[in-house]
Amino acid sequence: MASAEEVDISNTSAGSRGEYRRYLRNNQAVPRNTRRRWLQGMRTESGAIPCSNDRNHRTGTRIAADDEDSSSDSETNVGQVQGMENRPANQQWDAPGLSDDEMGDDMDEDDATTDDQGDGDNFAEIQGMITSDAGKAPLYPNSLLDHGQLLLLVIAFVLKHHLTGTCLEDLLQLLNCIVPGSIMLSKYLFHKNFESCQSQIQKHYYCNHCSEYIGFEYDIAECPACNIPFDDTDNHVSFFLYTPIEPQLKTILEQNNASMNFPNHHHDDITDIHEGLKYKQLFSNLSEDDLSITWNCDGVPLFKSSKTSIWPIQVMINELPKEQRARNVILCGVWVGDTKPTVHVYFKPFVDGMKHLACNGIQWEDENGAHVSRVFCAVCSCDAVARCIMQNFHQFNGSFGCSICLHEGEMVERGDGHTRVYPVRGVSEQRTANNTVRHASEACVANAVVKGVKGPSIFSLLPKFNIIDGFVPDYMHCVILGVVRQFSRLWFDSRYHCKDFYIGNSIDNVSHLMQSLKPPMEMARLPRSLSERKFWKASEWRNFLFYSPIILIGILPDAFMRHWWLLVFAIANLSSSNISTAMLNKSRAALLKFVIKAESLYGLEHLSYNVHQLTHLTQYVGNWGPLWATSAFPFENNNQVLKRLYHGTNGIANQIMKNNLIWNQLNSIYDYLFVPCSEEIQSFYHHLSRHSSRIVQNAFSVSHDCIGLGQPQLRFLSDNEKAALISIFDNTWLHSEVNSFARFMLKKKLIHSHEYSNNTKHNDAIISLSSGMYVAVGSLLFINVSNSKVPVIIGTELRLRNFSIYDTDVRSNVAVAFRKVSFANLVAFKPSHFESKCLMITSERGAHYVIEWPGNDLTS
């Protein structure tokens, strides 16, 4: 009996898998698990499936590991020959450098391709495999699934649940035990089906000493920039990964062609990015097929125990419908390291690719024929730290740290140190692309920072991109995580207990009022206690901004309360789905007054850079549309998805890049596999897909915009309900017996009534109507009228009460978004009158207020 350490596999040919060749080269003993996986792969490729009831085949490798005579040379050679026949003659058979802790990566980063294979059909290899005769063969006679469909379901299952490599191997073994031969047993062979994804990934090298870009290859003797000689240790060279944007764009365009939202400049009001002034200027001399993108790059920490971060380059197509943009974020590049990337190195492939797309365009087809779309960079949305790095400016805590204007800032004392503040002192000169180029040239000549500009930026090379106007102040970082969090710290932090604005003694009372809220389902995160505010996410701070004015009535002193109303008023306006010129002007005045008054109310030391950026917000809303249209929320959400696409610490960038490509291409091959197919299997696949939505059972469709949920309740109308229904049906004779739904969908929004008692955490019954009325929904009724069933919604009217906070400088009621209400009589209305869902807030004094919830963010 030979131990695993004594086994000799020296008869393995030179084409054997890479992770085993190193034991042959170095004459090392082969570890037991490595030998087990190698023999398992050989047995699988030779057609042996370790699913027999025979005890010796229960694991597929037990005999081979314990008895060297059980695996003959002839059996091993058969597996090798079959493996060699399935690959090109010039391709080495390299197994993945995948540990048992890793997921879904069949190649080490050193195996990433350096060839640009982005042109052409990225998925032809996979589609060819799954639509082949073998892929279309049923798993067994009369099976609902074929082999190709099972493969797609398994990879979707693996990615959705973030399975490790070991778990994947066990799953493959389990499936083969249930249906022998249903799927490949080897993890290596399983991932080999998705090699076309690996071929799209490019590896770009740069010098570790001078951080200069080297290129695809580094088989050179020395760095061309610093002349440092390279050796075989690879300690002088690092790399990042990049995937061309063109094939990913093509896939998205061909999948969403029916819903593309090409520019329409006929609106006077601002409803999306397309009505922004700078967007209109960008497309003033472009064709209707041309496209624009918003991109983002920011650091994402990977581990709690180290400084390692990823810096993904992500892209979003502005011409996609609002609800589709966040679902189609493109990952272009991944940089992994303990330090921030060198911008002119990391973004070189991205800039080169965008210059090519702006000049030559991208060819794609839809049901209307062939298109050629040029693609331009319109907006970069990121936080202030990343923005100054990409613009090559001073950071905001340095002189002339504002990336929008030439405000120098002032250094003042705060606590035990100093900080730079930006008080309003007249009108500051605006930065422009021209004066920025001039300052960059002067900085290069003087070898010093000029007006906050360190030197030229690589993004100045992007066609039609403005280095100043194109970098927007992202409201997620500036307002939500910046100003809102800053002022809440002033109110509740005990270090300010002697200040007039301090309300920390009421923190329990405020937390109780917050946690008593029952928000609509669109408000994904329920309010948490203020004692946990250091753990709050950006969406929680955003929610706090909109309900805080009512919660703080009677708690925050009046002067500070009226000051806070200015910010809430302006952000509610600028986050609206329909922004008029008057709203822009009033928001500008409100934000300017908020910044000016903050100095006298809170102190000069609290006029931070985030507070200063408020004076520029309306300018960028006028340029690029509502705040949500250019926010970083979609990119930050996708960052959390990317963090779940790797396991272990080896080949992180390659795991993220490849698994993201696999995710994105699954839907592109769905039609090849699941049409036709049973509804059960299609439903299960959609459940596993990347952007799965909840499948509604027992849905009763009335119309496209009105769907009853669950089983209807047969009941009789009350006298009050009959009186309310007369307003709709006049004196038409009504049946007293009706079908009633406690839950239903209106314009794709979930509504539930007070009768629906199962939902205790959310209140989805408060809505507004197109007439301006507010209603607490009772139920959806199907009433028999003239031998037909007519849908009607019945509920309690929320009668408006007098409530106004008028600001003379803004010349507006700054509480206009909030309505004070009281419960009144029953009313009835048709489903088509539904406008939006609302949040009901109860103040400390017991008064009820409603606000139309601003669910306009791309992630909502």
Side-chain angles (χ1 to χ4, degrees):
M1 188 79 63
S3 66
E5 288 75 9
E6 298 170 345
V7 174
D8 180 18
I9 59 171
S10 59
N11 62 334
T12 308
S13 66
S16 294
R17 293 155 77 167
E19 65 177 334
Y20 311 127
R21 289 202 309 271
R22 59 191 176 106
Y23 297 109
L24 304 182
R25 290 196 302 264
N26 302 328
N27 196 24
Q28 295 178 347
V30 183
R32 179 184 296 273
N33 287 339
T34 300
R35 183 180 184 279
R36 174 181 63 80
R37 288 195 295 268
W38 178 77
L39 289 173
Q40 179 176 312
M42 295 299 100
R43 183 178 297 277
T44 303
E45 292 155 14
S46 64
I49 300 173
C51 300
S52 170
N53 291 330
D54 189 337
R55 174 183 177 274
N56 293 333
H57 288 277
R58 195 164 298 159
T59 66
T61 58
R62 183 66 55 83
I63 295 178
D66 296 337
D67 185 358
E68 62 182 351
D69 293 333
S70 64
S71 179
S72 65
D73 292 343
S74 61
E75 179 184 357
T76 301
N77 290 334
V78 168
Q80 292 172 3
V81 171
Q82 290 181 349
M84 293 288 285
E85 291 174 349
N86 291 330
R87 68 181 193 279
N90 61 348
Q91 177 183 342
Q92 288 187 334
W93 188 8
D94 289 334
L98 180 70
S99 69
D100 286 343
D101 294 327
E102 295 174 359
M103 172 192 74
D105 180 29
D106 72 324
M107 298 185 76
D108 189 87
E109 285 202 17
D110 289 337
D111 296 322
T113 182
T114 59
D115 297 326
D116 185 357
Q117 301 181 20
D119 296 334
D121 191 352
N122 298 319
F123 314 127
E125 186 175 327
I126 297 178
Q127 291 174 353
M129 179 275 299
I130 61 179
T131 58
S132 64
D133 292 340
K136 286 294 186 181
L139 297 181
Y140 53 85
N142 300 321
S143 170
L144 296 177
L145 275 177
D146 60 40
H147 289 271
Q149 293 168 347
L150 177 62
L151 175 64
L152 196 68
L153 289 174
V154 170
I155 193 63
F157 182 86
V158 168
L159 292 174
K160 179 181 177 68
H161 297 289
H162 324 299
L163 300 190
T164 63
T166 300
C167 189
L168 172 59
E169 285 185 323
D170 293 342
L171 176 62
L172 297 177
Q173 293 241 17
L174 175 63
L175 292 173
N176 273 287
C177 288
I178 298 173
V179 182
S182 59
I183 197 168
M184 60 287 298
L185 187 61
S186 165
K187 179 176 61 179
Y188 165 75
L189 290 178
F190 178 81
H191 288 298
K192 196 172 178 66
N193 293 306
F194 300 93
E195 278 187 339
S196 65
C197 293
Q198 188 69 44
S199 68
Q200 298 176 57
I201 303 174
Q202 302 173 358
K203 181 186 272 188
H204 293 257
Y205 296 93
Y206 63 93
C207 177
N208 272 341
H209 298 277
C210 63
S211 297
E212 286 301 318
Y213 182 77
I214 296 175
F216 289 124
E217 304 286 350
Y218 77 99
D219 53 349
I220 52 180
E222 61 182 24
C223 174
C226 65
N227 298 323
I228 293 292
F230 296 154
D231 53 34
D232 295 334
T233 62
D234 288 345
N235 293 328
H236 304 285
V237 176
S238 294
F239 65 91
F240 60 89
L241 299 184
Y242 181 79
T243 300
I245 187 176
E246 182 173 349
Q248 300 185 75
L249 275 173
K250 180 179 179 181
T251 300
I252 292 174
L253 292 174
E254 293 182 344
Q255 287 178 350
N256 295 276
N257 66 82
S259 57
M260 289 298 293
N261 186 20
F262 290 108
N264 182 356
H265 307 313
H266 301 300
H267 295 287
D268 292 330
D269 294 345
I270 298 175
T271 62
D272 203 339
I273 188 174
H274 316 118
E275 281 78 48
L277 175 63
K278 295 299 181 181
Y279 184 93
K280 291 179 180 179
Q281 292 177 359
L282 174 66
F283 275 86
S284 60
N285 58 352
L286 301 180
S287 73
E288 63 178 11
D289 277 349
D290 290 339
L291 305 170
S292 67
I293 63 169
T294 297
W295 89 92
N296 166 274
C297 184
D298 199 1
V300 184
L302 292 180
F303 310 105
K304 295 181 179 179
S305 58
S306 77
K307 297 188 295 182
T308 302
S309 299
I310 59 171
W311 288 73
I313 302 175
Q314 301 181 86
V315 167
M316 187 169 61
I317 306 172
N318 295 324
E319 286 66 39
L320 284 176
K322 183 177 70 172
E323 61 275 8
Q324 291 297 326
R325 289 176 212 168
R327 292 173 172 260
N328 290 280
V329 175
I330 297 172
L331 178 66
C332 296
V334 176
W335 174 296
V336 178
D338 298 335
T339 60
K340 298 172 184 176
T342 306
V343 172
H344 72 277
V345 172
Y346 182 34
F347 280 91
K348 185 181 187 304
F350 174 76
V351 171
D352 290 343
M354 291 308 303
K355 289 167 64 177
H356 172 79
L357 287 175
C359 179
N360 301 311
I362 179 175
Q363 297 182 4
W364 55 285
E365 296 181 358
D366 65 4
E367 57 194 19
N368 297 320
H371 302 263
V372 177
S373 299
R374 292 183 295 168
V375 185
F376 298 90
C377 290
V379 174
C380 177
S381 176
C382 58
D383 63 11
V385 176
R387 189 163 68 244
C388 68
I389 294 174
M390 290 193 279
Q391 290 178 297
N392 205 12
F393 287 177
H394 243 171
Q395 193 163 285
F396 53 84
N397 55 0
S399 60
F400 296 100
C402 180
S403 63
I404 303 170
C405 70
L406 292 172
H407 194 313
E408 185 176 1
E410 301 175 13
M411 293 298 295
V412 299
E413 291 185 2
R414 189 173 71 180
D416 297 330
H418 292 77
T419 186
R420 183 170 295 275
V421 297
Y422 294 84
V424 177
R425 301 287 187 262
V427 179
S428 299
E429 180 185 355
Q430 296 292 298
R431 291 188 188 271
T432 65
N434 291 335
N435 66 27
T436 300
V437 171
R438 185 177 69 252
H439 294 153
S441 300
E442 294 173 0
C444 291
V445 173
N447 196 24
V449 179
V450 177
K451 297 291 187 180
V453 181
K454 296 179 179 180
S457 170
I458 190 174
F459 299 106
S460 298
L461 302 176
L462 289 170
K464 292 185 176 293
F465 181 73
N466 189 303
I467 193 65
I468 300 300
D469 295 333
F471 283 94
V472 299
D474 167 46
Y475 105 101
M476 188 192 86
H477 292 98
C478 167
V479 180
I480 305 304
L481 293 175
V483 177
V484 176
R485 187 162 57 178
Q486 174 187 341
F487 278 81
S488 69
R489 184 175 64 250
L490 295 175
W491 297 335
F492 300 109
D493 197 320
S494 60
R495 77 181 76 175
Y496 303 106
H497 67 279
C498 60
K499 301 292 185 179
D500 293 338
F501 52 75
Y502 178 70
I503 54 174
N505 296 329
S506 303
I507 191 170
D508 291 337
N509 186 23
V510 175
S511 296
H512 173 72
L513 291 172
M514 289 167 49
Q515 292 177 290
S516 65
L517 292 176
K518 290 187 175 182
M521 294 288 289
E522 285 71 18
M523 185 171 152
R525 295 181 181 272
L526 294 172
R528 287 193 283 177
S529 170
L530 283 166
S531 61
E532 301 178 28
R533 64 186 182 277
K534 67 178 181 180
F535 304 112
W536 285 9
K537 303 296 183 182
S539 59
E540 293 175 278
W541 285 112
R542 177 189 57 191
N543 298 340
F544 176 77
L545 170 67
F546 289 116
Y547 61 66
S548 61
I550 304 301
I551 295 294
L552 296 176
I553 289 178
I555 298 176
L556 189 66
D558 185 64
F560 301 98
M561 190 71 251
R562 295 184 70 89
H563 178 253
W564 187 246
W565 272 110
L566 295 171
L567 179 68
V568 176
F569 166 76
I571 300 304
N573 277 348
L574 300 180
S575 301
S576 172
S577 59
N578 199 320
I579 306 173
S580 65
T581 302
M583 293 170 66
L584 269 182
N585 293 333
K586 291 178 180 179
S587 299
R588 181 182 293 107
L591 289 176
L592 182 60
K593 183 176 181 179
F594 178 87
V595 176
I596 294 173
K597 293 288 290 182
E599 181 176 353
S600 59
L601 290 174
Y602 293 91
L604 177 62
E605 67 273 20
H606 297 300
L607 293 186
S608 63
Y609 177 60
N610 284 325
V611 174
H612 169 71
Q613 286 187 100
L614 295 177
T615 62
H616 298 302
L617 277 187
T618 51
Q619 170 189 342
Y620 279 84
V621 170
N623 288 344
W624 300 109
L627 293 176
W628 51 263
T630 57
S631 82
F633 270 109
F635 302 113
E636 293 292 334
N637 285 353
N638 202 53
N639 283 340
Q640 304 310 310
V641 175
L642 298 180
K643 287 176 65 175
R644 296 193 293 267
L645 293 183
Y646 76 94
H647 283 267
T649 57
N650 296 326
I652 293 174
N654 197 68
Q655 290 185 65
I656 292 174
M657 194 67 100
K658 181 181 177 181
N659 290 326
N660 182 75
L661 287 171
I662 294 175
W663 257 131
N664 291 339
Q665 78 176 42
L666 291 186
N667 285 339
S668 68
I669 58 178
Y670 168 79
D671 291 339
Y672 290 85
L673 286 175
F674 291 97
V675 180
C677 191
S678 68
E679 290 186 4
E680 293 81 4
I681 294 176
Q682 292 189 46
S683 175
F684 182 56
Y685 169 77
H686 288 302
H687 169 71
L688 295 176
S689 63
R690 187 167 199 170
H691 301 289
S692 60
S693 57
R694 186 175 179 182
I695 300 173
V696 179
Q697 302 292 340
N698 299 324
F700 184 82
S701 179
V702 181
S703 65
H704 177 68
D705 291 333
C706 182
I707 301 175
L709 304 178
Q711 293 294 335
Q713 176 188 0
L714 188 64
R715 66 179 181 87
F716 292 94
L717 292 173
S718 66
D719 292 339
N720 288 335
E721 289 174 332
K722 290 180 180 179
L725 289 169
I726 291 177
S727 63
I728 296 180
F729 299 104
D730 298 325
N731 294 321
T732 304
W733 181 78
L734 299 175
H735 288 278
S736 296
E737 192 175 56
V738 296
N739 287 316
S740 173
F741 287 90
R743 292 189 309 145
F744 48 95
M745 301 285 291
L746 287 181
K747 298 180 181 178
K748 299 182 180 180
K749 299 291 185 181
L750 175 64
I751 309 294
H752 75 70
S753 69
H754 293 297
E755 301 171 5
Y756 185 69
S757 58
N758 293 334
N759 195 334
T760 58
K761 295 182 179 180
H762 292 275
N763 183 357
D764 292 285
I766 311 300
I767 65 173
S768 66
L769 306 183
S770 55
S771 62
M773 181 186 295
Y774 294 87
V775 176
V777 173
S779 57
L780 170 67
L781 305 178
F782 284 91
I783 301 176
N784 293 317
V785 178
S786 301
N787 297 322
S788 63
K789 290 185 179 294
V790 178
V792 179
I793 299 174
I794 200 161
T796 303
E797 179 186 359
L798 300 175
R799 187 162 297 164
L800 298 180
R801 316 285 291 184
N802 185 32
F803 177 65
S804 175
I805 301 177
Y806 190 83
D807 189 281
T808 55
D809 295 317
V810 180
R811 298 181 180 180
S812 177
N813 171 20
V814 293
V816 66
F818 295 81
R819 300 287 192 271
K820 189 175 182 179
V821 298
S822 61
F823 288 86
N825 302 322
L826 282 180
V827 292
F829 57 93
K830 295 181 179 180
S832 58
H833 294 169
F834 167 73
E835 186 70 20
S836 65
K837 295 175 67 172
C838 302
L839 168 67
M840 175 172 280
I841 312 170
T842 303
S843 70
E844 185 186 31
R845 299 168 182 171
H848 300 297
Y849 301 81
V850 294
I851 175 176
E852 295 187 21
W853 193 247
N856 295 315
D857 284 318
L858 297 177
T859 56
S860 62

